[in-house]
Amino acid sequence: MLRMIGQRLMTTIPSVIGVIIVTFLLTRVLPGDTAAYFAGPAASPQAIIEIRSKLGLDQPLPVQFVSYVAALVKGDLGTSLTTGQAVTKDLAARLPASAELTLAGLILAMAVALPLGVLAAVKQGSWIDHLCRIVATAGVSLPVFFTGLLLVYVFYFILGWSPAPLGRLDVFASEPPRITGLFLVDTLLARDFETFRGALAQLILPAVTLAIFSLAPITRMTRASMLAVLGADFVRTARASGLTDGKVIGTYAFRNAMLPVVTTLGMVFSFLLGANVLVEKVFAWPGVGSYAVEALIASDYAPIQGFVLTMAILYVALNLMIDVLYGVIDPRVRLEG
Amino acid sequence: MTAVPLLEIRNLTVEFATRRGTVQAVKSIDIGVAKGETVAIVGESGSGKSVTSYAVVRILDRAGRVAEGSISFSGVDLVAADETQMRDLRGREISMIFQNPRAALNPIRKVGRQIEDVLLQHVQATRATAKDRAIEALSKVKIARPEERYDAYPFELSGGMCQRVVIALALACQPQLLIADEPTTGLDVTTQKAVMDLIVELTRERGMSTILITHDLGLAAAYCDKVVVMEKGKVVDTALASEIFRNPRHPYTRRLMQATPRLGTSLADLLPDAPQTVPAEARTAVAEPKTVAKPGPLMQVENLVKEYPRAAGGSIFARLLGKGPGEPPAPFRAVDGISFSIARGETLGLVGESGCGKSTTSMMVTRLIDPSGGRIIFDDTDIGAIPAKQFAASPHRRRIQMVFQDPTDSLNPRFTAERAIADPIMRMGAFKGRDALRARCEDLARLVGLPVELIDRFPHQLSGGQKARVGIARAIALDPDLVILDEPTAALDVSVQAVVLNLLDELKGRLGMSYLFVSHDLNVVRLLCDRVIVMKTGSIVEEGTAEEVLGDPKAQYTRELLTAIPHPPL
């Protein structure tokens, strides 16, 4: 197992190097002049040139790249010009927010999608199968900003059940002591149940929005993969040996059907992590997605590079986790590793 | 056998709902199985023999249902029983063994755990005793080192071993009735014998009744008391095994018997009375036989070797520390220096059990993979020296063609029969325009006895025998000199096999081809081949004319193979 993880890590090195080069070049070819933006609309050309040389932007590209990589090795992702903070600090502050939202959305989606997909496959053609189809189609055809706004309209504006969609915590509440960065976990660790409730109330609507969107692929994949496994010979053997339906479906069919579902989960997770900008915007969620978009609009190189690099590394780590999970589920994969 | 029947099937009709309305897969059949009796249900594909057994255990798939009749098992009405009652019967009173044992086991659960599941389900063991009982069950089916095998996954076991595990699973709860659905199809003859002997020994020991579902009359005769012959959903004949072969009453039984290759029959004997494999008008239609001009063998294989590297042992840490195995492990020799020759117009049989290297040999001779050593001289050229990747462009490619084992899987499902036959012509033949190509395909179809009106159909619209004919037509489309036949009839019913074998024999004579016939079925090899090579673990153990090798074998291994074949009493 260790050997497999080691080998998989080795193969990711070239892709990380590629990501570093590509993000560097991409941010350089994007239109917009950082120095001009930073100097403000009233700045004189002289001032802009000064700022440019201060930022090192007057150097040739290779020189800029070398200094970028040299800083990177030291763990320095540069400084954001808009927030004035180190990018690593900004990301460290915002990544847990995105992670908490995405994880909550994904767990919610799994909690609905897996049983729904399994039931739809077991009772093929029944009302639950049709429900599964409707949920999947609706979830994927409603854009997240629309679902998000609709939920806010209904549950905050009309019913008043949920708090104002303004970030992770009520403005007057204080943040829990920072341990993992996930508010739900930190408040529990600090035994601060009131803040926990507050954080949960803030989290529910955006998480549901994400969950509705990611329901579709998980449900469909679970259903298809369960159907294939239920038709397999070994399920027939299990039935013919008198095992209960619960045992046949739970232990025999479901575990075998998990492999493609795990792959889909990984894809959905990495997609959500980077792409939930719209949800973050609607709910004023201080995540990395909105941070990157703001930096992009300001032609602020360092945060964009930092964001893309972080995403790439997260993606690599996620894929590694999925590979390990494969080995746990399927002994045949262990052998090949 | 006058005892009260353990299982009694009366007037059973099973229907399947399909898109074209309901289809009766089984039509009012009566079968009785007495206590301790072994009954064979024999029939070709589509005869309803498996459906009958699924109806007994009530594991028909969603579309199927018992439309009429009754099934009673020691007084219990299985058609009317509720699902809880059925679940208690399955595995505890009635067990099943299936074809393709590896697929019949859960691939990601230890085999020991799978046996435990059944034991616990039927309260034959507690959590504390389950492991010991599972190991005991494994040792009963004569699995060596059962404690270790308990932790094995199905993919770590051989096919025969997997079937033993399936038997252990089926017999773990001491059922009264065992239903074995083609338990040895796809296994080697020696493995088949071992598995069948084991089933008979264990069931006899416990006084169990057995239903053996098979397409193999020899197997049915060798191991069963009573034989039930089914055709198209109906029982056409029921008789004692000792009588049915001596004195087959029903014409279908007689046809089945006739089509089964046995000692002392010839190819033509396999066919029903009117042997017309190739329609008369086609006999004059195509292809003059090639004039056999050059002397000497068509193909000469010298000292052929194929090696595969073994997986390196030792962990990465051991190797990093320099403590790994000193030298890399010796490569695995799949084919270990064999030499043989094929004369012009000859059929050479290549016989052996799975893993003996016969498929690797045929792939090298067909130039689909590269040999590790040795020479393949084809008509004075060493084609072994041409890399496999470039051989497709070689002028010799069209002279060596292949007929594959599975007629369904070896046809592109999106190609019509005509397109499949035309494929090699379009790639390698002189393309003479659409009409000429069509005419050539029709000629070829006629030549292989495929009705011309069928050549616009897709593979799924053709029967197994028709698909086999398409595969043969494709192989002979370029007028090859050598055709490699890789178990061409293994997936076919005996009656279809008889026709296809006769067709192959006739085509060889008419087109002046040579065959390399790869097979594990010695009876078929005896009928079709002039000379035979017997392979074992990559080497040739015996070689000679078909009569010599199969009539009076010299090598111990050949004798073992021959005695393992079940023969119907003559």
Side-chain angles (χ1 to χ4, degrees), chain A residues 134-185:
Chain A
I134 292 167
V135 166
T137 317
V140 88
S141 45
L142 296 175
V144 280
F145 58 84
F146 175 76
T147 343
L149 285 176
L150 189 72
L151 289 175
V152 168
Y153 180 69
V154 173
F155 290 98
Y156 168 64
F157 189 73
I158 295 185
L159 297 172
W161 291 358
S162 69
L166 293 170
R168 303 176 75 186
L169 270 183
D170 191 74
V171 234
F172 302 109
S174 56
E175 284 194 17
R178 195 181 181 85
I179 301 165
T180 59
L182 309 177
F183 281 4
L184 290 187
V185 180

Side-chain angles (χ1 to χ4, degrees), chain B residues 414-431:
Chain B
R414 304 254 179 274
F415 278 7
T416 62
E418 187 210 351
R419 181 68 180 79
I421 298 171
D423 205 37
I425 307 175
M426 285 161 70
R427 283 172 205 285
M428 284 176 281
F431 188 76

Side-chain angles (χ1 to χ4, degrees), chain B residues 302-373:
Chain B
E302 290 167 9
N303 206 18
L304 194 64
V305 175
K306 180 70 189 176
E307 289 181 339
Y308 289 103
R310 278 184 213 271
S315 73
I316 191 166
F317 300 108
R319 266 188 287 157
L320 279 176
L321 296 169
K323 285 179 191 161
E327 61 240 42
F332 170 67
R333 288 201 152 197
V335 175
D336 195 2
I338 63 167
S339 305
F340 61 88
S341 69
I342 304 170
R344 288 168 206 277
E346 182 186 47
T347 301
L348 178 69
L350 186 55
V351 175
E353 298 194 292
S354 47
C356 74
K358 59 184 195 299
S359 291
T360 312
T361 306
S362 72
M363 296 264 278
M364 283 192 284
V365 167
T366 326
R367 300 301 302 112
L368 293 174
I369 55 174
D370 285 319
S372 310

Side-chain angles (χ1 to χ4, degrees), chain B residues 20-65:
Chain B
R20 289 180 216 146
T22 44
V23 176
Q24 291 195 335
V26 171
K27 297 164 196 159
S28 20
I29 59 163
D30 298 291
I31 296 174
V33 182
K35 197 152 177 43
E37 192 181 30
T38 306
V39 175
I41 303 182
V42 178
E44 298 190 294
S45 45
S47 60
K49 54 192 194 302
S50 289
V51 171
T52 307
S53 67
Y54 293 174
V56 169
V57 203
R58 285 244 308 261
I59 52 168
L60 288 169
D61 60 0
R62 215 178 299 268
R65 64 181 198 98

Side-chain angles (χ1 to χ4, degrees), chain A residues 252, chain B residues 109-118 127 134 150:
Chain A
Y252 279 69
Chain B
R109 199 166 172 79
K110 289 172 178 171
V111 295
R113 294 294 301 277
Q114 300 191 37
I115 295 174
E116 274 182 18
D117 286 341
V118 180
R127 288 241 167 259
Y150 172 91

